[in-house]
Amino acid sequence: MSHSALPQPATAHRSEALTGRVRVPGDKSISHRSFMFGGLASGETRITGLLEGEDVMRTGEAMKAMGARIERNGAEWVIQGTGNGCLLQPEAPLDFGNAGTGSRLTMGLVGTYDMETTFIGDASLSKRPMARVLDPLREMGVQVVSAAPGDRMPLTLRGPKHAAPITYRVPMPSAQVKSAVLLAGLNTAGITTVLEPVMTRDHTEKMLRGFGAAIEVETDAAGLRTIRIEGEGKLTGQVIAVPGDPSSAAFPLVAALLVPGSDITIDNVLMNPTRTGLILTLQEMGADITLLNPRNAGGEDVVDLRVRASDLRGVTVPPERAPSMIDEYPVLAVAASFAEGITVMEGLDELRVKESDRLAAVAAGLKANNVDCTEGEASLSVTGCPGGMGLGGGTVETHLDHRIAMAFLVMGLAASKPVTVDDRAMIATSFPEFMDLMTGLGAVIE
Ligand code: S3P
């Protein structure tokens, strides 16, 4: 799909109780990694539950361009990987569209190869900082042949004949940076070490271990994680069932909390503790969320979530919780708009460098819809309006950001006046079924 096509606005209207049982698409982080690690490993990888969103498909195309064979066979994706160390130089630039995760992890994956690789993306991705990945890669011997000003895409990497293993302390809480260095370590002789002072999502560590990588994690008394990976080992294809994405579940979940009388169940949602900050926060706000049928699937905790409409009250969200709910702040800000009192969110620095400047985009969207809020350098406080009387009536600029679009459509379901987003197209990057799923529950969105 071309993102330069005409924008497609959408408007959400105050809706009757949402009811029903749904499944959200597969987790985006695990889906990207399934294509990458499957494409790299020797032998066959079979994946069910994959998120077939545009971002993940770009990662699949990139792996194909470097020698992996990837095919959809009914409900399953079947991959024949190249073998670790055996990726081929792509003949054309790798186009990652809107996908930060796909592009940054792939820079790590191929950066240490003795070949030239060019990365391009859409207007949003081309604005995002890549120095956070390029800096450690440079230390490993990777040459940034060219890049747009400020180490941005489009950019071209050229790997060294032999990369140097490094010890790298990740300077910001970022699973993407951690993962890029670990993936660069896969094609580097010796042991590459990542020091992670603040724990972020650990899908790379867990999945690489599953594929057979020699990877060890130690956590000291202060919470510092030391992750060591030995390069040039063998990875072997796996069978993967991708659980539902908690970051996508967040939208129907908050909608059901806000629309009076709602009672929905979202099946098969990933509950990895590095991803559950939103649920914890909403429960502190008084949300009626029940975790049903807890189970383990492929090494990850999974539950079904029953969600009933609830009267919420404002809370202060501690900054150290941010990494476990980093993608959920837009929809939390919407929940806070309907809560009794003030919700304070702190430690939001990383929101400035997502698919949009999410802090600014959320604050502007709230203000356009009559929500009283204050945007700080790295914080947001929202004064709620229980019942949503007087809220809505505005048009939100989404800045090519899927989560801004979905969050404000959720707002419109409970506000007294409709909420319009300027473009729904980007929703397809992470949650192509969003409109159908929400309208199936009873949401009025057109
Ligand atoms: C992701 C890490 C997070 C998150 C993104 C997915 C990942 O980004 O926002 O949606 O799969 O590793 P950062 O690492 O930049 O925080």
Side-chain angles (χ1 to χ4, degrees):
M1 191 197 82
S2 162
H3 297 140
S4 53
L6 278 183
Q8 303 166 33
T11 301
H13 299 265
R14 191 164 227 195
S15 300
E16 300 294 319
L18 306 180
T19 53
R21 190 162 201 136
V22 288
R23 242 172 201 260
V24 291
D27 186 68
K28 182 146 84 83
S29 294
I30 295 179
S31 295
H32 276 299
R33 288 160 173 83
S34 298
F35 265 169
M36 269 181 210
F37 305 166
L40 186 66
S42 302
E44 185 172 279
T45 288
R46 299 208 316 272
I47 313 166
T48 50
L50 187 91
L51 163 63
E52 296 179 352
E54 289 176 15
D55 279 12
V56 173
M57 292 302 130
R58 300 278 182 163
T59 293
E61 290 304 317
M63 294 308 295
K64 282 206 259 184
M66 295 187 292
R69 279 171 38 215
I70 303 183
E71 276 170 12
R72 191 179 203 275
N73 188 357
E76 236 181 22
W77 285 85
V78 182
I79 307 181
Q80 308 294 337
T82 59
N84 186 27
C86 302
L87 293 173
L88 303 172
Q89 173 166 303
E91 282 170 6
L94 302 177
D95 184 351
F96 282 95
N98 194 247
T101 307
S103 57
R104 290 195 176 121
L105 267 59
T106 305
M107 283 176 202
L109 188 70
V110 306
T112 49
Y113 277 70
D114 180 15
M115 63 189 197
E116 216 166 87
T117 318
T118 297
F119 294 78
I120 60 174
D122 72 4
S124 154
L125 189 56
S126 304
K127 279 191 210 147
R128 298 182 68 182
M130 295 298 152
R132 52 181 56 203
V133 170
L134 300 185
D135 287 345
L137 291 181
R138 285 179 173 114
E139 284 185 34
M140 298 178 87
V142 180
Q143 187 193 350
V144 180
V145 178
S146 66
D151 272 348
R152 289 185 163 75
M153 286 161 70
L155 60 83
T156 299
L157 303 182
R158 153 116 245 150
K161 286 261 176 286
H162 302 284
I166 58 169
T167 294
Y168 191 71
R169 190 181 175 96
V170 183
M172 70 289 286
S174 169
Q176 292 178 358
V177 175
K178 163 177 69 178
S179 302
V181 178
L182 292 173
L183 297 183
L186 278 179
N187 190 46
T188 302
I191 294 186
T192 296
T193 306
V194 173
L195 304 175
E196 188 181 42
V198 178
M199 184 170 182
T200 60
R201 65 191 69 195
D202 60 353
H203 307 301
T204 297
E205 298 91 302
K206 281 179 132 171
M207 290 178 69
L208 281 180
R209 186 173 300 116
F211 275 87
I215 181 166
E216 281 171 13
V217 185
E218 270 171 40
T219 307
D220 74 9
L224 175 74
R225 297 176 81 233
T226 302
I227 311 160
R228 295 187 188 87
I229 189 159
E230 192 176 339
E232 301 189 336
K234 183 172 181 190
L235 302 182
T236 307
Q238 297 296 304
V239 175
I240 302 171
V242 183
D245 194 331
S247 301
S248 296
F251 299 104
L253 190 162
V254 170
L257 291 175
L258 299 182
V259 177
S262 297
D263 184 352
I264 70 166
T265 303
I266 310 169
D267 283 335
N268 195 42
V269 182
L270 173 70
M271 282 290 113
N272 178 308
T274 62
R275 303 286 300 280
T276 50
L278 176 74
I279 291 186
L280 178 61
T281 303
L282 290 170
Q283 285 175 329
E284 288 172 0
M285 295 172 82
D288 184 349
I289 303 171
T290 316
L291 278 52
L292 302 169
N293 307 318
R295 54 203 183 268
N296 192 278
E300 291 287 6
D301 293 333
V302 170
V303 298
D304 305 325
L305 294 172
R306 180 164 182 200
V307 188
R308 281 170 275 200
S310 309
D311 294 329
L312 302 179
R313 49 185 182 274
V315 293
T316 295
V317 189
E320 60 274 15
R321 199 178 289 165
S324 68
M325 52 181 294
I326 194 65
D327 292 336
E328 281 69 80
Y329 283 100
V331 78
L332 176 65
V334 167
S337 305
F338 295 83
E340 178 80 53
I342 302 177
T343 298
V344 181
M345 297 161 246
E346 287 166 339
L348 307 185
D349 320 60
E350 282 294 305
L351 288 196
R352 297 259 181 223
V353 290
K354 293 296 176 189
E355 284 81 332
S356 66
D357 174 346
R358 274 193 185 149
L359 192 40
V362 167
L366 294 176
K367 286 179 188 152
N369 288 289
N370 302 314
V371 179
D372 180 6
C373 68
T374 307
E375 175 190 349
E377 197 55 40
S379 66
L380 180 68
S381 64
V382 176
T383 304
C385 169
M389 284 316 292
L391 299 190
T395 296
V396 177
E397 284 184 60
T398 52
H399 301 283
L400 295 179
D401 189 330
H402 54 132
R403 298 201 200 279
I404 298 297
M406 289 186 278
F408 281 96
L409 289 174
V410 167
M411 170 177 266
L413 304 179
S416 64
K417 289 180 260 176
V419 174
T420 298
V421 300
D422 65 358
D423 193 6
R424 71 172 87 170
M426 302 312 295
I427 292 174
T429 61
S430 70
F431 198 165
E433 308 84 331
F434 175 78
M435 292 291 177
D436 287 345
L437 183 144
M438 295 301 292
T439 51
L441 290 170
V444 181
I445 309 178
E446 54 182 28

